[in-house]
Amino acid sequence: MEVSVKTPSSDGEWTVVLPSKGRQGRRRKPKPKVHQEEEQQPWKSDDLEVDPQRQARLKQKMEISMKKIETSEFYTAFLEQLKSPEVSDQIRLVLGTDTQLQMVMYGIGSIESYESPRFQLSIAILLKREFDWVGDSIEVFDPVLSATESSYLESLGCTVLSVNEQARREALKPTLFFMPHCEANLYCNLLEANWRTDRLCRIALFGNSFQMYEEQVSFDPEVISATKRIIAAQRITSEFAIETVSEDYFAAFHDSSWHFFSSGIDSELPLFVSEEF
Ligand SMILES: C[S@@+](CC[C@H](N)C(=O)[O-])C[C@H]1O[C@@H](n2cnc3c(N)ncnc32)[C@H](O)[C@@H]1O
């Protein structure tokens, strides 16, 4: 049987979600292995040299991207949704007594090579500018990042992580995980690392629609294994799908949602973990 839990690709097709290696990630062919290197390990970019000319070109491309997003109807709608009572209430719950969410960005992709990662990064930077509740430092990790891209990200005030956390960061503080179009295993890793009510409720997650994963589920055991936490988390997830508004932003943001995880389920959470895992 064909693997049929899918992740959205730039053309709107749902393509196979199983993790694989490579520089870009989208439009990849399925690989039989579901769990790639799951251990957290030190990471260094493959190309060690920062190229000042490439960095200057990247800066230009990012400026164009930011300007385009900032003046778009898409961004207006994006902000309206975040400011709506439904979503801002959720953010308040994640904040609790804290004033800021720290942002961790996984799987941004190659900002030098592709427009979608540039649009996604632009949104993250603009969020930081727009909302006081977004913390100042953005931590970023994607194994495809070049030394030039990392250096540019640092110049924007981001911190590029030197460890591949496999998205297993524990939300000890309120955290916004910005994970646009990541593969399912990364969302699962994040959930697994935080599978306690007092941690899940500290998470705001921007990424592929969990609802979509549930709708696309298959009987393939590997796929079930790669998505089981997402499916289980559905019971405690409040999801707010974003509108791409125009074709220009479809590739970067289609089938993306904000996700929040409700608390008050202390007795239920361990129960359904042991039932299903
Ligand atoms: C499907 S691509 C999406 C890229 C980009 N966000 C986009 O929409 O075009 C998934 C990305 O996740 C990255 N990735 C894979 N393993 C990762 C890990 N352990 N931590 C962070 N990112 C990872 C891949 O390198 C790839 O760039």
Side-chain angles (χ1 to χ4, degrees), residues 189-237:
N189 287 356
L190 180 70
L191 291 171
E192 193 176 62
N194 290 285
W195 204 248
R196 293 165 38 163
T197 56
D198 60 338
R199 295 220 181 119
L200 289 170
C201 70
R202 297 272 84 93
I203 291 176
L205 169 64
F206 180 85
N208 286 349
S209 163
F210 281 14
Q211 177 72 40
M212 212 65 91
Y213 281 117
E214 190 171 43
E215 287 167 13
Q216 299 286 330
V217 81
S218 82
F219 297 106
D220 185 301
E222 283 188 344
V223 175
I224 290 169
S225 161
T227 56
K228 61 190 178 185
R229 285 276 163 181
I230 296 174
I231 306 302
Q234 274 297 83
R235 300 186 203 173
I236 53 161
T237 304

Side-chain angles (χ1 to χ4, degrees), residues 126-144:
L126 289 169
L127 274 182
K128 188 171 88 156
R129 286 197 197 154
E130 181 72 26
F131 295 105
D132 290 344
W133 50 261
V134 178
D136 285 336
S137 86
I138 302 180
E139 292 172 90
V140 185
F141 185 76
D142 190 312
V144 303

Side-chain angles (χ1 to χ4, degrees), residues 7 20 22-26 28 36-37 105-110 114 116-117 120 141-144 164-167 179-183 186 251-252:
T7 201
S20 51
R23 288 197 69 82
Q24 177 56 6
R26 278 190 282 109
R28 288 190 206 139
Q36 57 184 7
E37 301 139 9
M105 191 187 303
Y106 294 129
I108 191 70
S110 171
Y114 301 100
S116 289
Q120 293 163 353
F141 185 76
D142 190 312
V144 303
N164 182 348
E165 301 179 337
Q166 304 290 356
M179 300 173 62
H181 290 173
C182 281
E183 290 163 340
L186 289 191

Side-chain angles (χ1 to χ4, degrees), residues 261-273:
F261 307 97
S262 52
S263 54
I265 44 156
D266 296 43
S267 56
E268 271 176 50
L269 194 56
L271 190 68
F272 72 73
V273 172

